[in-house]
Structure formats: structure tokens, C-alpha cells
Amino acid sequence: MNSDRWNTIEDLYYSALELDAGERETFLEQQSRGDESLKDELLSLLASADRQDSFMEEPAVPLALEVLRSERMGMVGQTIGRYRIVGVLGHGGMGEVYLAHDPSLDRKVALKLLPATITDNRVRVLRFQQEARAASAISHPNVAHIYEIDEANGLNYITMEYVKGATLRELLKTKAFDDATALEVCKQVCMALAAAHKAGVI
């Protein structure tokens, strides 16, 4: 993502933050000028700002902005541990996810990195590791498998099963689900949640 877009995100985020919650969506609708992805990203950041992350004892948004600023595309072609990064899959409040190649097994994997900008915060690193250990306890077809948690080149990472396909959000943007499809998706989500709960992950 280029610096102009980052500047737009930051400017609109801090402007919207000063408004009452009920006025924010109208403001962003006007300012995003039809850019739905921009509006959605800002609404997500604002929703995070309204929730204090008690584990970290600070709002999630400053962390999210740190993650967003990191040079995602600059990682493509680099090697982390034995994994060669070949593309960007996504990002979230606690890390960035890349498509990588595992040469030892000749397979694609998803590599979740804790950004270098926050690896000096022990609490965040421990939370990242805790997330991996918790997820590794879940064994279910609807939950991505955790292969490894490690550190290389000063970066902490989780290696996960790569599942090819569109996200649910992407699918819903293309068409509405009929009742049967919606029920099937909900059923699969509930089964995955039940497996997580059975493993002690709430």
C-alpha cells in the first residue's frame, strides 16, 4: 500500500475519531468517495478503538496502524527461516500473513509474522506465541493447522496450513447467499467453534 493511501487512512481515522459514533459512518461515506474498501477498513479501525484491549492495556488501533505501515510487499522474495515469501495474504491486529514456500516439503504455507516494529514488546510477543499454542490444540477440518512457531532474522512467526480460496467477506461482496448456503456456512463455523471450545479455547 502506498504512502498516499496511508496518509489518507490516518487523516480520516483521526478526524472520524473526534466525531460522535453515530456520525462516523456518514462522514466516512462522504470522504471515501465510493472507495468501499477504504471505508470498511476505517470502520474496522474505529470499532477497534471503541474496544480497549485489556490484555495489552492499550487501544488496538495504534498497534493496527503500526502493522499497516510496515512494508508488506518489501517482504516478497525474502527468506524467513527456511520459508521463502512469495506473496501477501492479509493482515490483522497482531500480525501479517504471507504466502510462503516450504522447500523441505515442497508445499505452500501461510506464514504469520509479528511485525518487527513491535517485537521489542514482550507482552505482544508472548501473546503471539500464546495464540499459536492455543490454535495448535484444535484439530478440525474447518480450522487451519499450525505447523510451527519459531523466530528467525529477529522476527517471530507461525507457520500454518495454507487454504486457497476467497474469504467469507469477499464472497458476500459478490452475491448474497441463499438460505441453504447461509445455513451450511453457519454450520461449518459452529462446528469449528465447538472444536475450539472442546480444546479449551474460548
Side-chain angles (χ1 to χ4, degrees), residues 83-154:
Y83 304 103
R84 184 174 60 83
I85 295 176
V86 297
V88 180
L89 293 176
H91 59 88
M94 280 298 292
E96 298 174 322
V97 184
Y98 296 89
L99 176 62
H101 179 252
D102 179 355
S104 64
L105 296 173
D106 192 23
R107 66 179 175 185
K108 293 177 180 177
V109 297
L111 199 68
K112 183 172 184 179
L113 299 180
L114 185 66
T117 54
I118 57 176
T119 52
D120 59 345
N121 186 308
R122 181 166 173 75
V123 172
R124 291 174 180 172
V125 173
L126 289 174
R127 184 175 180 184
F128 185 76
Q129 294 171 343
Q130 180 185 36
E131 174 190 320
R133 292 190 183 97
S136 69
I138 306 167
S139 178
H140 193 273
N142 293 341
V143 178
H145 299 289
I146 302 294
Y147 297 140
E148 179 182 20
I149 177 170
D150 208 343
E151 183 270 337
N153 306 346

Side-chain angles (χ1 to χ4, degrees), residues 24-34 36 39:
R24 291 174 181 172
E25 186 161 3
T26 302
F27 169 76
L28 293 176
E29 187 77 44
Q30 295 169 344
Q31 297 298 317
S32 60
R33 297 181 179 86
E36 288 297 316
K39 187 184 79 170

